[in-house]
Amino acid sequence: MASELSLLALELWGSLWVVLLTCSPGPFVSVYAGWQWHVEWAIHLVAIVAADYFCGGPHVNPAATVAFCAWGQSSLASTSARVAGQMIGGVVGYTLLRAAVEHFGLPFLGPAIAEGTTLGAALASE
């Protein structure tokens, strides 16, 4: 039980930071600096690496966690704890990011392709 709680905490912490670091370039970097999507993408990439490095290597992705379980690399109990932590961390991270964006009066838009974006640019961004 203790190891499942530590996995839940690890995934919660990692998912929280992944949401905060990887979703913030849009509202904070692009709005203030007016940078193009490729600069935002590069910042997003660095944020993913930083979140993984500083959080100790959580999965932060339920699909990856379930795949590890399916391959026999993780028990059902640890998989459940990881996925629960990922969900909680995502919700907490989203809530904190939304509060920060609203505090600074920035637009908080969901994932969408901006009007006028070419298909190639949209695919490269994803």
Side-chain angles (χ1 to χ4, degrees):
M1 181 67 174
S3 68
E4 282 82 16
L5 287 176
S6 64
L7 288 174
L8 185 141
L10 173 70
E11 294 295 340
L12 190 157
W13 184 245
S15 295
L16 179 140
W17 280 106
V18 164
V19 168
L20 289 176
L21 293 174
T22 64
C23 295
S24 59
F28 291 106
V29 175
S30 295
V31 171
Y32 284 128
W35 290 343
Q36 298 297 316
W37 65 266
H38 57 280
V39 175
E40 185 180 326
W41 181 87
I43 292 168
H44 180 86
L45 175 67
V46 170
I48 289 172
V49 172
D52 186 52
Y53 179 78
F54 291 112
C55 294
H59 294 171
V60 302
N61 183 334
T65 301
V66 170
F68 278 109
C69 184
W71 295 328
Q73 301 298 311
S74 178
S75 70
L76 187 56
S78 64
T79 297
S80 299
R82 283 184 182 270
V83 171
Q86 293 159 2
M87 298 296 104
I88 296 166
V91 169
V92 171
Y94 171 85
T95 303
L96 292 173
L97 181 60
R98 178 147 190 139
V101 168
E102 289 174 356
H103 174 76
F104 289 103
L106 300 172
F108 191 77
L109 305 172
I113 299 172
E115 189 174 328
T117 303
T118 65
L119 178 60
L123 292 173
S125 176
E126 287 303 313

